[in-house]
Short mmCIF file of all heavy atoms in Angstrom, two decimals:
data_model
loop_
_atom_site.label_atom_id
_atom_site.label_comp_id
_atom_site.label_asym_id
_atom_site.label_seq_id
_atom_site.Cartn_x
_atom_site.Cartn_y
_atom_site.Cartn_z
N VAL A 1 42.34 110.58 -2.56
CA VAL A 1 41.22 109.89 -1.91
C VAL A 1 40.33 111.03 -1.23
O VAL A 1 40.92 111.86 -0.44
CB VAL A 1 41.62 108.85 -0.87
CG1 VAL A 1 40.41 108.18 -0.26
CG2 VAL A 1 42.52 107.77 -1.59
N ALA A 2 38.98 110.90 -1.43
CA ALA A 2 38.09 111.80 -0.74
C ALA A 2 37.48 111.05 0.45
O ALA A 2 37.03 109.88 0.26
CB ALA A 2 37.03 112.29 -1.67
N ILE A 3 37.39 111.68 1.61
CA ILE A 3 36.77 111.06 2.80
C ILE A 3 35.63 111.96 3.20
O ILE A 3 35.81 113.09 3.66
CB ILE A 3 37.79 110.94 3.90
CG1 ILE A 3 38.99 110.09 3.49
CG2 ILE A 3 37.16 110.31 5.18
CD1 ILE A 3 40.12 109.98 4.44
N CYS A 4 34.45 111.39 3.06
CA CYS A 4 33.17 112.18 3.37
C CYS A 4 32.64 111.77 4.69
O CYS A 4 32.08 110.69 4.88
CB CYS A 4 32.20 111.90 2.24
SG CYS A 4 32.78 112.17 0.63
N GLY A 5 32.85 112.67 5.64
CA GLY A 5 32.48 112.38 7.02
C GLY A 5 33.75 112.09 7.87
O GLY A 5 34.53 111.18 7.43
N LEU A 6 33.95 112.83 8.95
CA LEU A 6 35.20 112.64 9.67
C LEU A 6 34.97 112.22 11.13
O LEU A 6 35.67 112.63 11.98
CB LEU A 6 35.99 114.00 9.60
CG LEU A 6 36.29 114.51 8.25
CD1 LEU A 6 37.02 115.89 8.35
CD2 LEU A 6 37.10 113.55 7.44
N GLY A 7 33.99 111.35 11.32
CA GLY A 7 33.69 110.75 12.61
C GLY A 7 34.55 109.54 12.92
O GLY A 7 35.72 109.42 12.58
N GLY A 8 33.89 108.56 13.50
CA GLY A 8 34.63 107.31 13.86
C GLY A 8 35.24 106.61 12.69
O GLY A 8 36.32 106.08 12.77
N LEU A 9 34.42 106.58 11.62
CA LEU A 9 34.97 105.91 10.38
C LEU A 9 36.02 106.81 9.73
O LEU A 9 37.13 106.43 9.47
CB LEU A 9 33.85 105.64 9.44
CG LEU A 9 32.89 104.48 9.85
CD1 LEU A 9 31.70 104.42 8.87
CD2 LEU A 9 33.58 103.11 9.86
N GLY A 10 35.59 108.00 9.29
CA GLY A 10 36.40 108.85 8.50
C GLY A 10 37.75 109.29 9.10
O GLY A 10 38.79 109.26 8.47
N SER A 11 37.70 109.54 10.38
CA SER A 11 38.97 110.01 11.03
C SER A 11 39.96 108.84 11.11
O SER A 11 41.15 109.03 10.93
CB SER A 11 38.66 110.59 12.47
OG SER A 11 38.19 109.56 13.30
N ASN A 12 39.44 107.62 11.39
CA ASN A 12 40.34 106.44 11.39
C ASN A 12 40.79 106.09 9.94
O ASN A 12 42.01 105.68 9.75
CB ASN A 12 39.59 105.25 11.98
CG ASN A 12 39.66 105.33 13.50
OD1 ASN A 12 40.71 105.14 14.17
ND2 ASN A 12 38.53 105.66 14.12
N ILE A 13 39.93 106.19 8.94
CA ILE A 13 40.34 105.92 7.64
C ILE A 13 41.50 106.87 7.21
O ILE A 13 42.51 106.44 6.63
CB ILE A 13 39.13 106.14 6.62
CG1 ILE A 13 38.10 105.05 6.88
CG2 ILE A 13 39.65 106.13 5.21
CD1 ILE A 13 36.75 105.29 6.12
N ALA A 14 41.31 108.16 7.52
CA ALA A 14 42.28 109.20 7.17
C ALA A 14 43.65 108.88 7.80
O ALA A 14 44.71 108.98 7.08
CB ALA A 14 41.82 110.48 7.61
N VAL A 15 43.66 108.42 9.05
CA VAL A 15 44.92 108.18 9.77
C VAL A 15 45.58 106.95 9.05
O VAL A 15 46.89 106.98 8.81
CB VAL A 15 44.71 107.86 11.19
CG1 VAL A 15 45.93 107.25 11.81
CG2 VAL A 15 44.35 109.20 11.92
N HIS A 16 44.86 105.92 8.70
CA HIS A 16 45.44 104.76 8.08
C HIS A 16 46.03 105.11 6.72
O HIS A 16 47.17 104.72 6.31
CB HIS A 16 44.42 103.63 7.83
CG HIS A 16 44.00 102.92 9.13
ND1 HIS A 16 44.90 102.35 10.00
CD2 HIS A 16 42.73 102.68 9.67
CE1 HIS A 16 44.26 101.82 10.99
NE2 HIS A 16 43.00 101.97 10.79
N LEU A 17 45.30 105.90 5.93
CA LEU A 17 45.82 106.27 4.58
C LEU A 17 47.01 107.15 4.64
O LEU A 17 47.94 107.09 3.82
CB LEU A 17 44.66 106.90 3.75
CG LEU A 17 43.47 105.98 3.50
CD1 LEU A 17 42.44 106.74 2.63
CD2 LEU A 17 43.83 104.66 2.86
N ALA A 18 46.94 108.16 5.57
CA ALA A 18 48.12 108.99 5.78
C ALA A 18 49.37 108.21 6.14
O ALA A 18 50.50 108.44 5.66
CB ALA A 18 47.82 110.06 6.86
N ARG A 19 49.20 107.29 7.07
CA ARG A 19 50.36 106.45 7.54
C ARG A 19 50.90 105.57 6.34
O ARG A 19 52.10 105.29 6.31
CB ARG A 19 49.97 105.57 8.64
CG ARG A 19 49.78 106.40 9.95
CD ARG A 19 49.73 105.43 11.22
NE ARG A 19 49.50 106.22 12.41
CZ ARG A 19 50.33 106.89 13.01
NH1 ARG A 19 51.63 106.97 12.65
NH2 ARG A 19 50.00 107.54 14.24
N ALA A 20 50.05 105.18 5.44
CA ALA A 20 50.47 104.45 4.29
C ALA A 20 51.10 105.27 3.21
O ALA A 20 51.74 104.73 2.28
CB ALA A 20 49.25 103.69 3.69
N GLY A 21 51.10 106.57 3.31
CA GLY A 21 51.69 107.38 2.38
C GLY A 21 50.89 107.79 1.22
O GLY A 21 51.43 108.17 0.10
N VAL A 22 49.59 107.72 1.33
CA VAL A 22 48.71 108.21 0.22
C VAL A 22 49.02 109.69 0.04
O VAL A 22 49.03 110.47 0.99
CB VAL A 22 47.28 107.95 0.53
CG1 VAL A 22 46.31 108.64 -0.44
CG2 VAL A 22 46.98 106.41 0.57
N GLY A 23 49.13 110.12 -1.25
CA GLY A 23 49.69 111.43 -1.47
C GLY A 23 48.68 112.57 -1.28
O GLY A 23 49.13 113.71 -0.86
N SER A 24 47.40 112.35 -1.54
CA SER A 24 46.50 113.46 -1.38
C SER A 24 45.14 112.99 -0.74
O SER A 24 44.59 111.96 -1.13
CB SER A 24 46.14 113.94 -2.81
OG SER A 24 45.17 115.01 -2.75
N LEU A 25 44.75 113.74 0.28
CA LEU A 25 43.49 113.42 0.99
C LEU A 25 42.59 114.64 1.01
O LEU A 25 42.99 115.72 1.36
CB LEU A 25 43.81 112.98 2.46
CG LEU A 25 44.64 111.68 2.67
CD1 LEU A 25 44.87 111.50 4.14
CD2 LEU A 25 43.86 110.48 2.08
N HIS A 26 41.32 114.42 0.67
CA HIS A 26 40.36 115.49 0.71
C HIS A 26 39.39 115.23 1.84
O HIS A 26 38.58 114.23 1.72
CB HIS A 26 39.67 115.58 -0.68
CG HIS A 26 38.68 116.69 -0.80
ND1 HIS A 26 37.84 116.83 -1.93
CD2 HIS A 26 38.38 117.68 -0.02
CE1 HIS A 26 37.15 117.91 -1.85
NE2 HIS A 26 37.35 118.43 -0.63
N LEU A 27 39.40 116.07 2.85
CA LEU A 27 38.61 115.78 4.08
C LEU A 27 37.33 116.69 4.01
O LEU A 27 37.45 117.88 3.82
CB LEU A 27 39.39 116.13 5.28
CG LEU A 27 40.82 115.46 5.40
CD1 LEU A 27 41.48 116.01 6.70
CD2 LEU A 27 40.78 113.95 5.32
N MET A 28 36.12 116.05 4.20
CA MET A 28 34.92 116.85 4.18
C MET A 28 34.04 116.48 5.37
O MET A 28 33.69 115.37 5.69
CB MET A 28 34.17 116.53 2.90
CG MET A 28 34.76 117.25 1.67
SD MET A 28 34.21 116.54 0.17
CE MET A 28 35.22 115.03 0.11
N ASP A 29 33.57 117.53 6.09
CA ASP A 29 32.66 117.43 7.18
C ASP A 29 32.29 118.86 7.61
O ASP A 29 33.09 119.81 7.34
CB ASP A 29 33.35 116.72 8.40
CG ASP A 29 32.32 116.11 9.42
OD1 ASP A 29 31.34 116.88 9.73
OD2 ASP A 29 32.45 114.91 9.71
N PHE A 30 31.18 119.03 8.29
CA PHE A 30 30.76 120.37 8.68
C PHE A 30 30.64 120.44 10.27
O PHE A 30 30.32 121.55 10.77
CB PHE A 30 29.36 120.77 8.09
CG PHE A 30 28.23 119.91 8.58
CD1 PHE A 30 27.42 120.36 9.67
CD2 PHE A 30 28.02 118.69 7.95
CE1 PHE A 30 26.40 119.52 10.04
CE2 PHE A 30 26.89 117.92 8.42
CZ PHE A 30 26.14 118.33 9.45
N ASP A 31 30.90 119.36 10.87
CA ASP A 31 30.69 119.28 12.36
C ASP A 31 31.90 119.70 13.12
O ASP A 31 33.01 119.89 12.58
CB ASP A 31 30.36 117.87 12.68
CG ASP A 31 29.55 117.72 14.00
OD1 ASP A 31 29.24 118.76 14.63
OD2 ASP A 31 29.22 116.61 14.41
N THR A 32 31.74 119.96 14.47
CA THR A 32 32.82 120.30 15.39
C THR A 32 33.08 119.13 16.26
O THR A 32 32.25 118.23 16.46
CB THR A 32 32.51 121.55 16.18
OG1 THR A 32 31.25 121.35 16.87
CG2 THR A 32 32.38 122.78 15.30
N VAL A 33 34.27 119.12 16.85
CA VAL A 33 34.63 118.03 17.80
C VAL A 33 33.87 118.22 19.10
O VAL A 33 33.96 119.32 19.78
CB VAL A 33 36.14 118.02 18.03
CG1 VAL A 33 36.49 116.88 18.99
CG2 VAL A 33 36.97 117.83 16.75
N ASP A 34 33.15 117.15 19.51
CA ASP A 34 32.36 117.10 20.73
C ASP A 34 32.90 116.07 21.73
O ASP A 34 33.54 115.13 21.28
CB ASP A 34 30.96 116.78 20.47
CG ASP A 34 30.01 116.82 21.58
OD1 ASP A 34 29.61 117.86 22.05
OD2 ASP A 34 29.72 115.74 22.17
N ILE A 35 32.73 116.26 22.96
CA ILE A 35 33.21 115.29 23.98
C ILE A 35 32.75 113.90 23.76
O ILE A 35 33.39 112.92 23.97
CB ILE A 35 32.89 115.84 25.37
CG1 ILE A 35 33.72 114.97 26.43
CG2 ILE A 35 31.41 115.71 25.71
CD1 ILE A 35 33.71 115.58 27.79
N SER A 36 31.50 113.79 23.16
CA SER A 36 31.00 112.45 22.85
C SER A 36 31.78 111.71 21.75
O SER A 36 31.57 110.54 21.51
CB SER A 36 29.53 112.52 22.47
OG SER A 36 29.34 113.26 21.27
N ASN A 37 32.58 112.51 20.94
CA ASN A 37 33.37 111.86 19.86
C ASN A 37 34.64 111.14 20.34
O ASN A 37 35.20 110.36 19.62
CB ASN A 37 33.78 112.97 18.87
CG ASN A 37 32.64 113.79 18.27
OD1 ASN A 37 32.74 114.95 17.92
ND2 ASN A 37 31.43 113.11 18.12
N LEU A 38 35.08 111.51 21.53
CA LEU A 38 36.41 111.07 22.00
C LEU A 38 36.52 109.55 22.25
O LEU A 38 37.68 109.12 22.32
CB LEU A 38 36.84 111.88 23.23
CG LEU A 38 36.90 113.44 23.06
CD1 LEU A 38 37.42 114.03 24.33
CD2 LEU A 38 37.80 113.78 21.93
N ASN A 39 35.39 108.87 22.34
CA ASN A 39 35.54 107.45 22.65
C ASN A 39 35.90 106.65 21.46
O ASN A 39 36.28 105.40 21.52
CB ASN A 39 34.22 106.90 23.26
CG ASN A 39 33.16 106.62 22.14
OD1 ASN A 39 32.91 107.43 21.25
ND2 ASN A 39 32.53 105.48 22.22
N ARG A 40 35.81 107.24 20.23
CA ARG A 40 36.07 106.35 18.99
C ARG A 40 36.69 107.18 17.83
O ARG A 40 37.00 106.56 16.79
CB ARG A 40 34.73 105.76 18.60
CG ARG A 40 33.74 106.75 18.01
CD ARG A 40 32.41 106.20 17.85
NE ARG A 40 31.39 107.13 17.30
CZ ARG A 40 30.85 108.14 17.94
NH1 ARG A 40 31.11 108.28 19.18
NH2 ARG A 40 30.04 108.95 17.28
N GLN A 41 36.80 108.46 17.97
CA GLN A 41 37.28 109.19 16.85
C GLN A 41 38.68 109.76 17.15
O GLN A 41 39.11 109.94 18.27
CB GLN A 41 36.30 110.44 16.58
CG GLN A 41 34.92 109.94 16.29
CD GLN A 41 33.94 111.07 16.03
OE1 GLN A 41 34.27 112.13 15.73
NE2 GLN A 41 32.61 110.70 16.09
N GLN A 42 39.46 110.08 16.10
CA GLN A 42 40.84 110.48 16.20
C GLN A 42 40.98 111.95 16.55
O GLN A 42 41.57 112.70 15.75
CB GLN A 42 41.60 110.07 14.89
CG GLN A 42 41.72 108.62 14.68
CD GLN A 42 42.65 107.94 15.69
OE1 GLN A 42 43.56 108.51 16.23
NE2 GLN A 42 42.39 106.65 15.94
N TYR A 43 40.43 112.31 17.73
CA TYR A 43 40.54 113.66 18.17
C TYR A 43 41.01 113.67 19.63
O TYR A 43 40.93 112.64 20.29
CB TYR A 43 39.23 114.44 18.05
CG TYR A 43 38.77 114.45 16.60
CD1 TYR A 43 37.66 113.69 16.22
CD2 TYR A 43 39.35 115.32 15.64
CE1 TYR A 43 37.24 113.67 14.87
CE2 TYR A 43 38.94 115.26 14.31
CZ TYR A 43 37.89 114.46 13.95
OH TYR A 43 37.53 114.51 12.66
N PHE A 44 41.37 114.83 20.10
CA PHE A 44 41.96 114.96 21.46
C PHE A 44 41.09 116.00 22.27
O PHE A 44 40.46 116.90 21.64
CB PHE A 44 43.39 115.43 21.38
CG PHE A 44 44.29 114.43 20.53
CD1 PHE A 44 44.55 114.74 19.26
CD2 PHE A 44 44.75 113.30 21.13
CE1 PHE A 44 45.38 113.95 18.56
CE2 PHE A 44 45.54 112.45 20.38
CZ PHE A 44 45.80 112.71 19.09
N PRO A 45 41.11 115.89 23.58
CA PRO A 45 40.34 116.84 24.35
C PRO A 45 40.68 118.36 24.07
O PRO A 45 39.83 119.15 24.13
CB PRO A 45 40.74 116.51 25.80
CG PRO A 45 40.99 114.94 25.76
CD PRO A 45 41.64 114.77 24.41
N ALA A 46 41.97 118.58 23.75
CA ALA A 46 42.37 120.01 23.42
C ALA A 46 41.70 120.46 22.14
O ALA A 46 41.74 121.65 21.91
CB ALA A 46 43.85 119.99 23.33
#
């Protein structure tokens, strides 16, 4: 499965598919993690 965009949608989609045991994930994005992302995206302050 290819996931285009790793924000609120993409990061959550990826976590669900990984937990389900999907064998291969292709992650695509050019952005960096920003503090404004932390309210809804699967990232951590660190």
Side-chain angles (χ1 to χ4, degrees):
V1 180
I3 303 174
C4 304
L6 304 179
L9 290 172
S11 63
N12 278 287
I13 292 167
V15 167
H16 287 309
L17 297 182
R19 290 194 184 282
V22 170
S24 178
L25 296 176
H26 185 184
L27 310 178
M28 284 163 282
D29 202 310
F30 66 95
D31 205 0
T32 56
V33 180
D34 182 80
I35 194 169
S36 64
N37 302 148
L38 299 181
N39 81 312
R40 67 193 183 282
Q41 302 181 17
Q42 292 293 332
Y43 301 106
F44 304 98

